[in-house]
Amino acid sequence: MTVHLDHLLIPSKNRQAAARRLAEILGVTWAPATIGPFTAVHVNDGLTIDFDEWTQDFPKGHYCFRVPEPEFRVILARLSASGTSYRSLPHGPDDHQVNTSLGSLIVYWSEPDGHVWELLTESYARSPKQGQGESKSAA
């Protein structure tokens, strides 16, 4: 069985502003979702991020995008051109540096709702062979 993440919902204070901001940084499209009171960012043909507007406080999430190095450079240029502060570590000061310590180019930013957004060129979360093993649930 193949499993793909289709969409996810992210809370925000202003769903349109959050969707527009992420779409501009990634260079993808955004629009009101076709179902529900969400604003959607169309990350690719298989993934949509739906921003929901919350008036109450919400936990901050961590969301990571993996892209090839040429796209990384383009997106990093968009971050800089937009005046978005970014950093080399998930938490800490905005140092406008790229982290290379894990064998990848990595940057983080937290705009506009305080979520941690991550952009990298190679996954450090799994080895190349991971995901090929067996994992079965008992029925």
Side-chain angles (χ1 to χ4, degrees):
M1 170 186 4
T2 302
V3 178
H4 296 276
L5 179 64
D6 181 76
H7 67 276
L8 59 109
L9 183 79
I10 298 177
S12 64
K13 294 293 182 188
N14 180 325
R15 66 178 174 249
Q16 287 190 328
R20 179 179 57 247
R21 187 78 170 136
L22 181 61
E24 287 172 354
I25 289 169
L26 296 180
V28 297
T29 62
W30 68 278
T34 56
I35 298 175
F38 314 114
T39 303
V41 174
H42 306 284
V43 178
N44 57 45
D45 289 341
L47 176 62
T48 302
I49 295 176
D50 294 322
F51 285 92
D52 190 14
E53 202 159 288
W54 290 19
T55 56
Q56 68 274 27
D57 288 339
F58 49 83
K60 306 306 185 232
H62 182 122
Y63 308 96
C64 180
F65 300 100
R66 186 176 64 239
V67 297
E69 187 172 337
E71 283 84 350
F72 181 95
R73 302 268 182 216
V74 169
I75 293 169
L76 182 60
R78 282 193 204 108
L79 279 170
S80 295
S82 71
T84 301
S85 292
Y86 60 91
R87 58 194 177 275
S88 57
L89 297 171
H91 306 287
D94 292 327
D95 58 11
H96 295 267
Q97 298 294 313
V98 175
N99 185 334
T100 60
S101 68
L102 298 173
S104 175
L105 302 175
I106 309 168
V107 294
Y108 304 86
W109 70 98
S110 294
E111 207 176 275
D113 290 304
H115 299 294
V116 175
W117 299 98
E118 178 179 359
L119 183 71
L120 53 73
T121 57
E122 297 290 334
S123 178
Y124 55 80
R126 65 187 66 80
S127 69
K129 297 258 183 212
Q130 189 171 351
Q132 297 177 8
E134 293 182 38
S135 176
K136 299 181 181 179
S137 60

